[in-house]
Amino acid sequence: MMKRWQAVKRLLPLMAMFALVLSGCGREDLSVLRPQGPVAQGQLDLIKLSISIMIVVMVVVFGIAAYVLVKFRRKKGQDEIPEQVEGNHKLEIIWTAIPLLLVLVLAVPTIQKVFAYGENDWNNPDAVKVEVTSHQFWWEFNYPDYGVRTAQELVVPVGKKIAFQLKTNDVLHSFWVPSLGGKMDTNTEGSVNYMTLVADKADTYIGKCAELCGPSHGFMEFRVKAVDDAAFDKWVAAFKEPAVLPADAALAEKFKTNCLSCHAVGDQGGAMGPNLTGIGSRETIASILLNDISGKPGTKPTKDNLVEWLMEPQAVKPGNTMPNPKDLGFSDEEIEQIADYLANYKLDY
C-alpha cells in the first residue's frame, strides 16, 4: 500500500504539468468559449448551465460519500451489522425526484434554444441567403440574391441573419464557425440542411470542416469576414466588375484556356474550382497558407504563397483535385507571372 501511494505521489506532479501544458494547446480563434454572436452565446450559456448542474451533483454526491465514510466507518471492535435502510420510501422519493428536477431544469432552456436556433430563415426577406457547397477540400459560397459566387472567404454584413443552405459536392463534411455557432453537416445523397448565424461585430472568424473527410480534412478552413453594410455592398459591386486578365496577351490566353476552364475571375471562367476573383485580398491561399495582409505571425507575401501552391498543390494540400500547373504546360516563369497577377487581383471594399 505504501509503495502504491509513493508511485501516486510521483505521478501527481507529472500529471499536473501535463494538464498545464495541454491547457495552452489549441487555437483561441477556434474556441467555442469566445462567442461573437447570439447563437454561439446561447450555446455557451447551455454549456455553462449543464456544467454547473454536473458540478453541483458531483459536490453533493462526493460530500455525502465523504460524510458516510467518516461518520459510519467501522470502528475498532465494532462487529454488529449497521442499520439497513433499503425500502425507505422517503429516501427513494428524494433521490428519484432530484434527478428529475435537474433534468427539467436543463431540458427547458435546451428545448427553447434548439427550437430558436433551429428555425429556417431561408425564406426570411431580411436574411442574407448563402448557399454553401463543400468540396474536397474547399468551400464554395453562393449568394443567390446578389449574383455572387465565391470561395474560401465568406463576406457577411454585421448584425444581420445569415441564412445558410448547406450541401456537399462529394463526401460528408461539416460546416463549423466556433465563434458564431455550432456545427451543421453537409450531407450526401442530395439532402440539404439549413442553419442561421449572426455576427455581432466586424471581425474575421475562422471556420473549419468538423467531419473527417479525407487526407486534407485538417486543412479545410475558411474565413468569415463580417463587415458593415456599406462595405458589404461595396464588396458585392467590386466582385461583379468585369474580369481583369493578365496584361501579357500570350499569358492571358494560356490562363483562359487552362485555368479558367475550372476557375472564374470576374465575369469569365467556370465554376468547377474555387472562384479566384479578388484572391489577392484574401487572408489565405488554399485556406492554410497565411498571407501577410492578415497581420498574424507565420505569414508570407501573397505572391510567395501562390507560387508555393501552384508549384506543387499536392504538397500543400494532399488529396485535392487541383491539377499541377506544370502538367498543364506552365513553366516556372509563367507560374511566377500567374502568381504575381493573382496576388495583385484585389477588391477594394
Side-chain angles (χ1 to χ4, degrees):
M1 185 68 180
M2 183 60 68
K3 290 182 179 179
R4 187 179 300 173
W5 173 242
Q6 288 175 348
V8 170
K9 284 198 297 184
R10 291 194 189 99
L11 286 173
L12 282 176
L14 185 62
M15 293 173 64
M17 184 183 71
F18 278 140
L20 183 63
V21 171
L22 291 174
S23 66
C25 294
R27 291 167 49 176
E28 186 180 3
D29 55 10
L30 282 173
S31 175
V32 297
L33 303 179
R34 295 178 61 252
Q36 302 296 316
V39 177
Q41 183 61 57
Q43 291 170 345
L44 179 61
D45 291 342
L46 275 179
I47 292 174
K48 289 179 178 178
L49 176 62
S50 59
I51 290 176
S52 298
I53 291 174
M54 286 187 284
I55 290 174
V56 169
V57 171
M58 185 181 71
V59 169
V60 171
V61 170
F62 276 80
I64 293 174
Y67 171 77
V68 170
L69 285 172
V70 173
K71 176 72 174 176
F72 300 103
R73 70 185 185 278
R74 184 183 294 273
K75 297 179 178 59
K76 188 175 181 181
Q78 186 178 19
D79 297 324
E80 68 274 12
I81 297 176
E83 180 185 354
Q84 303 301 296
V85 295
E86 59 264 56
N88 189 311
H89 295 298
K90 288 183 180 179
L91 287 177
E92 290 176 356
I93 291 172
I94 289 172
W95 58 53
T96 301
I98 290 177
L100 287 175
L101 180 62
L102 294 177
V103 168
L104 287 174
V105 169
L106 183 59
V108 172
T110 299
I111 292 171
Q112 288 176 339
K113 285 182 168 56
V114 165
F115 279 95
Y117 302 145
E119 290 183 2
N120 184 351
D121 287 295
W122 190 251
N123 295 319
N124 184 344
D126 297 325
V128 176
K129 298 178 185 177
V130 178
E131 296 173 346
V132 177
T133 305
S134 55
H135 302 257
Q136 288 179 312
F137 299 93
W138 60 281
W139 297 90
E140 178 183 356
F141 305 116
N142 178 45
Y143 302 70
D145 294 339
Y146 296 90
V148 168
R149 185 184 297 273
T150 186
Q152 297 304 102
E153 195 162 283
L154 175 67
V155 180
V156 299
V158 170
K160 286 192 176 180
K161 287 185 174 182
I162 313 301
F164 294 102
Q165 183 188 81
L166 301 125
K167 56 186 179 181
T168 183
N169 187 61
D170 37 57
V171 301
L172 177 67
H173 301 272
S174 189
F175 181 85
W176 185 34
V177 189
S179 294
L180 300 181
K183 309 168 187 176
M184 182 64 73
D185 287 347
T186 59
N187 294 327
T188 56
E189 300 178 354
S191 63
V192 177
N193 284 333
Y194 295 88
M195 72 182 300
T196 301
L197 298 176
V198 180
D200 280 340
K201 66 177 184 178
D203 204 346
T204 299
Y205 307 100
I206 310 300
K208 293 280 289 185
C209 175
E211 185 73 37
L212 182 60
C213 57
S216 285
H217 158 71
F219 301 147
M220 194 171 164
E221 291 191 357
F222 62 96
R223 297 302 193 266
V224 179
K225 200 173 211 177
V227 299
D228 59 45
D229 289 347
F232 178 75
D233 293 338
K234 193 174 180 182
W235 173 76
V236 171
F239 199 95
K240 297 173 74 172
E241 289 181 358
V244 178
L245 295 178
D248 182 276
L251 184 66
E253 185 59 33
K254 198 167 185 178
F255 179 75
K256 287 176 64 177
T257 303
N258 292 277
C259 304
L260 295 191
S261 62
C262 293
H263 300 278
V265 289
D267 56 349
Q268 298 189 34
M272 289 178 60
N275 193 304
L276 304 179
T277 305
I279 191 172
S281 306
R282 298 177 190 170
E283 291 191 4
T284 66
I285 299 300
S287 77
I288 55 170
L289 300 176
L290 298 179
N291 298 328
D292 53 9
I293 60 174
S294 68
K296 297 178 180 178
T299 61
K300 292 194 302 184
T302 304
K303 180 184 175 181
D304 291 355
N305 283 333
L306 281 163
V307 169
E308 181 180 348
W309 168 248
L310 294 173
M311 285 292 185
E312 190 56 68
Q314 291 300 323
V316 176
K317 189 178 278 191
N320 80 87
T321 57
M322 166 85 172
N324 193 318
K326 291 183 179 181
D327 295 337
L328 299 176
F330 284 89
S331 66
D332 289 354
E333 182 182 0
E334 288 172 328
I335 287 176
E336 287 270 354
Q337 292 173 330
I338 292 293
D340 184 66
Y341 154 69
L342 292 174
N344 289 289
Y345 200 134
K346 300 179 180 180
L347 300 180
D348 180 21
Y349 64 99

